């Protein structure tokens, strides 16, 4: 087997990411309140194998070991999320001192290891108390999110390098409130669209709080998709147009142009302009950002499909987005996702040319799930992941060479972890986690990635001749 060469990256590339619910565990410890994902997973028939995040990787107790892994990996930055219900168990109101202390310890230990903390405020763990009052369907959750952002910024703002308000709002809005495959498991049309809007309003309000507290860098992370129609038929092209709104423009247009998407009326079948929109919202949502995070894993092929009667609410969210059969003819990861690095370059270049006001980009997630296991030699030989990372980093380097301003890259993920509806079956980590013993075993990709960072540093820190 040949090991791929290290791609050459721009000077300030940094590396590695996780999210609270996927790794922390300690779901009812030290005053943490329940989130929608606790409720969802404790309902029979949800995540694969009945999995929950109750223990996950037990990072809440084992964070010093995990930070030691990060330090040995050599990363400059670590992207993690704060659990909103650990800080404000009821979503707003009383703050949990032990929750505050946990992230103090985590941040201080990172800084002691010379690793800059990059914090995501919302990686999908809405406090259940807010869901009980309407969740993201109502504006109150956006206001509570701003309150939470202010608490976090006041406490950690002196030490956090980079703040990400929301991670992939597409998932809570459309997978959570329209398809029901994610928490809270709702199947609604109006609820999903109100959610999409309130997430953006929450983002805008949080940006305001973070700026007021003097935060260093503020941005948002989007999982924008490179979409292709399966054929040139008018039906498939119409589905592609709707998919562009659903996956991308619902976020990018308000954020980067201050407008709602041009084709939203036909996409949402008359539901677009709901009472959740208020004067002034677009100005709030479109406030300038220091960066935009992009999460990319695979392209999506779109085909027209018949309306699914079992999910009547929001047709566009469920009848498009076909990845099977794989028209690219490339390898699939264990998620069933086709590996097409060139689609990453296309996505970044397209975004760059479409939005002249686009702030600098960070790749805030990218990685692959593979069928990993610890072999008798005590190692995890994940050659496919190494290829995936090398090819996708090269795809980012191609976009940079074409003029796209990409500042850095966080690989997903440091650890194998709870992969939402797919439970613990899908392994994305550079480090293998044995979920019975919680033993961490760095995979071959971890060692490759460390080599990449070392080579990158040696190349970029070389004194100018
Ligand atoms: O694990 C998730 C993460 O929480 C959000 N982005 C996609 C990853 C892989 O599915």
């Amino acid at each position: 087997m040949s090991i791929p060469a290290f791609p050459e990256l721009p000077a300030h590339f940094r590396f590695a990411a996780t999210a609270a619910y996927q790794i922390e565990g300690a779901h009812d410890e030290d005053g943490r309140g329940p989130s929608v994902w606790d409720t969802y997973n404790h309902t029979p028939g949800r995540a694969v194998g009945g999995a929950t995040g109750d223990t996950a990787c037990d990072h809440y107790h084992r964070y010093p070991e995990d930070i030691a892994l990060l330090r040995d990996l050599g990363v400059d930055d670590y992207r993690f999320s704060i659990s909103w219900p650990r800080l404000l168990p009821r979503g707003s109101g009383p703050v949990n001192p032990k929750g505050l202390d946990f992230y103090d310890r985590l941040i201080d230990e990172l800084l002691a290891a010379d690793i800059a903390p990059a914090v995501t405020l919302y990686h999908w763990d809405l406090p259940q108390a807010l869901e009980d009052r309407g969740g993201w369907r109502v504006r109150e959750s956006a206001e509570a999110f701003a309150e939470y952002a202010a608490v976090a910024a006041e406490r950690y703002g002196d030490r956090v390098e980079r703040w990400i308000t929301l991670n992939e709002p597409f998932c809570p809005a459309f997978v959570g409130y329209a398809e029901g495959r994610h928490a809270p498991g709702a199947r609604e049309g109006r609820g999903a669209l109100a959610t999409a809007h309130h997430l953006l309003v929450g983002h805008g309000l949080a940006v305001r709080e973070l700026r007021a507290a003097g935060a260093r860098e503020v941005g948002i992370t989007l999982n924008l998709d490179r979409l292709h129609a399966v054929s040139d038929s008018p039906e498939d092209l119409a589905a592609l147009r709707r998919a562009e709104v659903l996956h991308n423009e619902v976020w990018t247009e308000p954020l980067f142009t201050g407008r709602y998407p041009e084709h939203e009326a036909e996409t949402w079948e008359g539901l677009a302009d709901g009472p959740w929109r208020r004067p002034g919202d677009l100005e709030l949502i479109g406030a300038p950002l220091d960066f935009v995070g992009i999460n990319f894993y695979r392209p999506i092929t779109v085909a027209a499909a018949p309306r699914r009667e079992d999910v009547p609410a929001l047709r566009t969210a469920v009848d498009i987005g076909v990845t099977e059969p794989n028209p690219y003819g490339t390898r699939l990861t264990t998620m069933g996702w086709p590996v097409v690095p060139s689609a990453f370059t296309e996505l970044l270049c397209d975004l760059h040319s479409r939005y002249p006001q686009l702030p600098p980009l960070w790749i805030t997630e990218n990685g692959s799930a593979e069928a990993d296991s610890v072999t008798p030699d005590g190692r995890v030989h994940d050659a496919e992941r190494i290829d995936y990372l090398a090819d996708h980093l090269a795809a980012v380097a191609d976009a940079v060479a074409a003029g796209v301003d990409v500042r850095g890259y966080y690989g997903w993920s440091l650890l194998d972890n709870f992969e939402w509806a797919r439970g613990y079956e899908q392994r994305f980590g550079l480090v293998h986690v044995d979920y019975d013993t919680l033993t961490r075993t760095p995979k071959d990709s971890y060692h490759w990635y460390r080599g990449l960072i070392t080579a990158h540093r040696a190349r970029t820190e070389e004194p100018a001749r």
Side-chain angles (χ1 to χ4, degrees):
M1 182 202 73
S2 69
I3 310 249
F6 300 130
E8 288 213 351
L9 302 163
H12 32 240
F13 263 64
R14 293 135 185 266
F15 316 84
T18 60
Y21 187 75
Q22 294 180 271
I23 61 167
E24 281 182 9
H27 71 113
D28 57 357
E29 229 176 289
D30 289 343
R32 179 185 179 277
S35 80
V36 288
W37 273 96
D38 295 288
T39 309
Y40 185 80
N41 290 329
H42 284 237
T43 308
R46 296 302 202 181
V48 169
T52 73
D54 292 2
T55 304
C57 306
D58 196 31
H59 172 76
Y60 187 74
H61 299 111
R62 295 168 194 251
Y63 71 90
E65 182 182 351
D66 295 337
I67 293 175
L69 284 164
L70 284 166
R71 193 194 50 231
D72 291 347
L73 189 56
V75 294
D76 301 306
D77 265 45
Y78 171 52
R79 174 185 177 228
F80 63 94
S81 81
I82 292 180
S83 159
W84 182 352
R86 211 180 278 291
L87 249 53
L88 290 100
R90 299 197 50 77
S92 61
V95 178
N96 174 24
K98 290 191 173 167
L100 283 173
D101 289 349
F102 170 66
Y103 294 106
D104 266 335
R105 293 197 296 278
L106 181 67
I107 288 171
D108 288 343
E109 184 113 359
L110 284 168
L111 292 173
D114 219 6
I115 299 169
V119 168
T120 305
L121 286 170
Y122 187 64
H123 202 122
W124 311 349
D125 41 5
L126 183 73
Q128 181 62 39
L130 291 177
E131 179 60 26
D132 294 343
R133 298 205 292 277
W136 285 109
R137 302 170 193 88
V138 299
R139 207 175 182 91
E140 183 193 339
S141 289
E143 287 155 2
F145 183 60
E147 183 183 330
Y148 155 55
V151 169
E154 196 205 332
R155 180 76 167 219
Y156 311 121
D158 57 335
R159 288 161 290 162
V160 169
E161 179 83 14
R162 188 162 300 107
W163 293 89
I164 295 165
T165 54
L166 307 177
N167 179 70
E168 302 184 1
F170 171 85
C171 291
F174 298 115
V175 189
Y177 283 83
E179 279 191 75
R181 279 191 301 114
H182 277 187
R187 293 182 166 190
E188 303 169 12
R190 294 172 70 79
L193 291 174
T195 291
H197 185 68
H198 290 140
L199 280 161
L200 285 172
V201 170
H203 156 79
L205 292 170
V207 169
R208 199 183 267 177
E209 295 296 339
L210 289 160
R211 298 274 186 228
R216 287 181 204 157
E217 284 188 37
V218 179
I220 187 172
T221 279
L222 305 171
N223 54 330
L224 301 178
D225 278 308
R226 184 68 184 165
L227 302 159
H228 303 117
V230 79
S231 84
D232 286 341
S233 77
E235 295 77 19
D236 288 338
L237 291 177
L240 176 65
R241 183 91 280 293
R242 295 201 306 274
E244 284 288 357
V245 175
L246 169 75
H247 286 254
N248 299 333
E249 293 169 13
V250 66
W251 318 111
T252 54
E253 292 293 306
L255 285 164
F256 310 136
T257 72
R259 292 188 300 266
Y260 296 112
E262 192 184 335
H263 295 281
E264 63 169 5
E266 63 251 41
T267 303
W268 308 131
E269 301 184 321
L271 290 180
D273 202 9
W276 43 83
R277 288 183 179 173
R278 294 195 189 161
D281 282 355
L282 282 172
E283 289 73 32
L284 181 72
I285 295 166
L289 297 173
D290 301 314
F291 68 93
V292 173
I294 301 294
N295 293 354
F296 178 87
Y297 292 88
R298 49 74 164 99
I300 292 184
T301 310
V302 176
R307 180 185 288 274
R308 269 179 48 188
E309 296 307 328
D310 60 323
V311 190
L314 195 62
R315 176 172 176 255
T316 43
V318 293
D319 69 355
I320 53 180
V322 181
T323 53
E324 297 279 0
N326 169 14
Y328 306 98
T330 54
R331 184 178 80 79
L332 301 176
T333 68
T334 55
M335 291 291 280
W337 293 348
V339 178
V340 189
S342 59
F344 198 4
T345 315
E346 289 170 17
L347 174 80
L348 296 171
C349 290
D350 180 61
L351 199 59
H352 171 75
S353 58
R354 193 183 283 213
Y355 296 109
Q357 310 301 338
L358 193 71
L361 302 179
W362 279 76
I363 309 309
T364 37
E365 286 181 27
N366 175 238
S368 71
E370 307 293 350
D372 303 320
S373 59
V374 182
T375 45
D377 61 0
R379 311 244 339 215
V380 179
H381 299 299
D382 57 340
E384 295 87 358
R385 181 173 291 103
I386 296 176
D387 284 341
Y388 181 100
L389 293 171
D391 292 347
H392 284 76
L393 279 157
V396 176
D398 287 347
V400 172
V404 185
D405 185 359
V406 185
R407 299 284 168 93
Y409 174 99
Y410 297 94
W412 184 267
S413 179
L414 173 68
L415 303 172
D416 289 340
N417 59 49
F418 176 78
E419 178 53 27
W420 310 109
R422 309 290 290 266
Y424 292 101
E425 276 187 349
Q426 301 296 325
R427 294 182 176 274
F428 275 92
L430 296 174
V431 175
H432 179 276
V433 177
D434 177 324
Y435 293 114
D436 293 326
T437 62
L438 297 169
T439 304
R440 276 86 161 129
T441 307
K443 303 178 189 177
D444 286 356
S445 58
Y446 172 98
H447 299 292
W448 178 85
Y449 206 62
R450 183 167 54 185
L452 166 76
I453 294 171
T454 309
H456 176 68
R457 209 166 264 149
R459 190 176 61 79
T460 55
E461 287 176 4
E462 237 168 32
R465 292 167 201 221

